[in-house]
Amino acid sequence: MPFAYPVFLDLARVPVLVVGGGTIALRKACGLADAGAAVTVVAPSVVAELAALAVGVERRAYVAGEAAGYQLVIAATDDPAVNAQVAADAKAARVWVNSADDPDNCSFILPAVARRGLVTVAVSTGGASPSLAGHLRTQIERDVLTPAVEGAATELARQRAEIHAAGGSTEAVPWAERVKTALDSSG
């Protein structure tokens, strides 16, 4: 099996469907909302925290085919048959879908994510062991994403913007030395 291709998606204002109204759906929807996605939740019962962050909440069962109306779909119910239907509908409509704890019904998987300022690190085991990915994320948060890394990212972003503002390209800039200097001055 080939490796997954990692990407970071710009989900600002992108219509996303979350099918499910419990704690797993909430966890997935929180990340989507933090990314600026326009989250619609469909579930007969929805926890209050999830209802508060969604742009739309429909307290009802999933209707076959409705995944086609979204650009990204999350299936996170406690009913494997419903999750499979949501995944099948999304795939048929060529919509990216993640089915919680069911890699066979996913067209993408969600990594464990660590953030500090401008820096985001995602860790995946390809769905084989989310607990290992979470463990590695915790180690990265503790040992790698230090205040020095956060400061360096801010400084390097400033330098990059300055080069672009002067009409230059950053493709040929020797960044290795700039990164070392930024880390040293931020630490």
Side-chain angles (χ1 to χ4, degrees):
M1 181 171 151
F3 289 104
Y5 187 77
V7 298
F8 286 82
L9 301 175
D10 177 357
L11 294 178
R13 296 172 301 286
V14 170
V16 176
L17 174 64
V18 174
V19 181
T23 56
I24 294 170
L26 172 61
R27 188 178 74 240
K28 300 208 182 240
C30 282
L32 293 164
D34 287 347
V39 177
T40 297
V41 175
V42 171
S45 177
V46 179
V47 296
E49 299 93 332
L50 179 54
L53 66 83
V55 297
V57 176
E58 299 181 29
R59 288 179 171 82
R60 60 171 174 76
Y62 173 78
V63 175
E66 74 179 294
Y70 296 85
Q71 291 183 16
L72 193 77
V73 173
I74 303 290
T77 76
D78 57 4
D79 185 336
V82 171
N83 289 347
Q85 177 68 55
V86 172
D89 289 351
K91 287 178 181 180
R94 297 181 185 253
V95 173
W96 292 96
V97 62
N98 175 270
S99 185
D101 202 27
D102 184 10
D104 290 338
N105 276 320
C106 294
S107 56
F108 72 95
I109 55 174
L110 296 168
V113 176
R115 288 188 174 88
R116 179 135 194 170
L118 298 172
V119 180
T120 301
V121 177
V123 180
S124 175
T125 60
S129 178
S131 60
L132 175 59
H135 173 76
L136 293 171
R137 175 201 55 225
T138 299
Q139 286 187 309
I140 290 166
E141 285 173 330
R142 183 188 65 225
D143 300 335
V144 176
L145 295 182
T146 63
V149 168
E150 182 176 10
T154 300
E155 172 56 21
L156 292 164
R158 185 198 64 73
Q159 290 178 27
R160 188 168 185 255
E162 189 176 85
I163 291 167
H164 285 154
S169 169
T170 58
E171 291 298 315
V173 172
W175 286 105
E177 187 58 36
R178 287 178 184 239
V179 168
K180 182 181 179 330
T181 300
L183 283 168
D184 289 346
S185 67
S186 296

